[in-house]
Amino acid sequence: MKNSERYIIAFNQIDKFLSNELGQNGHYVGFTQAVNKVAKNNRIVNRFKEDLQEFAVLRNAIVHERTDPEYVIAEPHDSTVEKIEKILSELTEPKKVIPTFSQEVKSFKVTDSLADVLNMIKYTHYSQFPVYDDEEFKGLLTANGITNWLAETVDDDLLSREETTLEDMLSYEEGTENYKFVSRDISIYEAEDIFKDQVNKEDRIDAVLITHHGKPDESLLGIISAWDIIDIP
């Protein structure tokens, strides 16, 4: 199959996806206009918005300027065809946060001590720890919160890593909620946007916590940090 044929097949499937997203009920909307409309509510389309608009230009060159069925004015490069097929896959079968970020999450109890967390950091280099009171989620302890606590208590001669509990530590976290719970079914791009949306806000998100339905009282399936998001291609 020619590259131009692969390209048109992928383009038409994306066009159909956009139409379904709009729910046009027979009313046709041009491809570029559809991209602009869907991008307002679909984070993945918004992410690839410029690429999709460029695809429309090439598609027009291939289809509209044919002089006969066997002739195309532009035969797409292999990398271009691979790119549009990859974006089609991302749109129709987007990578989800589970299994992408599935892992055993190290959590603690409010009655655990600072020493317990420091030992965990020493051996795992983790820097974010969900804290629970029995089954109730109480907050996310981070390396930044620990640093804030140390700075506030540096002059305390009675400083004890064994006696200081995590319940004491949580009040030193910056912001009231430095975390967000999400469902296992959201895409990795939706998770990425959670961090992006916090860039210019006073209360930043340190981690996204993944449960089955995005509820705090469910078992943790994974955790995403801002550093994890950087590795998303």
Side-chain angles (χ1 to χ4, degrees), residues 88-151:
L88 170 63
S89 177
E90 294 289 355
L91 292 174
T92 57
E93 299 179 6
K95 294 186 181 72
K96 303 296 181 65
V97 291
I98 297 295
T100 305
F101 294 106
S102 177
Q103 62 177 295
E104 180 183 357
V105 182
K106 302 296 183 181
S107 61
F108 289 88
K109 298 178 291 185
V110 290
T111 53
D112 288 332
S113 70
L114 171 58
D116 295 324
V117 172
L118 293 178
N119 283 328
M120 181 66 70
I121 293 174
K122 177 181 178 180
Y123 292 107
T124 66
H125 302 293
Y126 294 161
S127 60
Q128 299 160 338
F129 304 97
V131 179
Y132 289 83
D133 184 0
D134 290 329
E135 301 297 322
E136 182 184 0
F137 179 80
K138 300 301 291 185
L140 182 72
L141 182 66
T142 68
N144 191 51
I146 295 173
T147 300
N148 290 340
W149 176 83
L150 289 171

Side-chain angles (χ1 to χ4, degrees), residues 69-84:
E70 299 299 323
Y71 174 77
V72 294
I73 196 171
E75 192 69 40
H77 191 274
D78 289 347
S79 61
T80 302
V81 176
E82 291 168 0
K83 186 174 184 179
I84 192 173

